[in-house]
Amino acid sequence: MPKEKERESQRVSFERPLSAQMMAIDGTWRRPCVVKDVSESDATLRVETSIEGLALTEFFLLLSSTGLAYRRCQLDRVNGDELEVSFLRQKARKRSSRETPA
């Protein structure tokens, strides 16, 4: 299957976009946005306010109002009020001897 078709088949598009917040890694700014579609590795967001002057190389996408559901993102492309972002994965932590199953 070509990569484009494979990518589309694993993507979820929302009939009504999902409300979310973009937040700086250090918490210095926050902006409302909506999630138009999402896959395991990336998403398309639509911003509701200006993003001019914000450091968007890395930020958090907050998916819940309590902040318990979030993804660390990196900006891939801007197209008007739409942002294409990819999700950054944490490196796996090494297991300590205390965490090793007996």
Side-chain angles (χ1 to χ4, degrees):
M1 184 180 288
K3 284 213 182 255
E4 188 71 24
K5 290 278 188 193
E6 185 177 321
R7 182 175 172 238
E8 287 176 16
S9 67
Q10 297 174 353
R11 181 165 292 282
V12 175
S13 294
F14 298 104
E15 189 172 311
R16 271 188 255 153
L18 177 70
S19 294
Q21 294 273 325
M22 297 166 45
M23 184 178 79
I25 296 294
D26 61 2
T28 56
W29 58 264
R30 186 184 275 221
R31 294 291 185 278
C33 67
V34 293
V35 181
K36 290 181 61 178
D37 57 54
V38 67
S39 72
E40 186 176 330
S41 62
D42 57 14
T44 303
L45 312 176
R46 191 176 73 238
V47 291
E48 299 170 352
T49 58
S50 175
I51 58 169
E52 188 175 339
L54 300 179
L56 289 171
T57 47
E58 283 189 32
F59 60 93
F60 288 115
L61 177 60
L62 306 174
L63 300 168
S64 75
S65 58
T66 59
L68 297 176
Y70 64 92
R71 295 296 300 259
R72 192 173 188 146
C73 299
Q74 123 183 339
L75 180 65
D76 289 338
R77 187 172 11 165
V78 178
N79 183 11
D81 66 347
E82 287 189 2
L83 307 175
E84 291 184 21
V85 300
S86 55
F87 300 132
L88 301 174
R89 300 207 183 269
Q90 286 184 330
K91 293 180 178 144
R93 292 185 308 172
K94 291 183 180 178
R95 291 184 133 199
S96 68
S97 59
R98 287 180 284 178
E99 294 177 15
T100 307

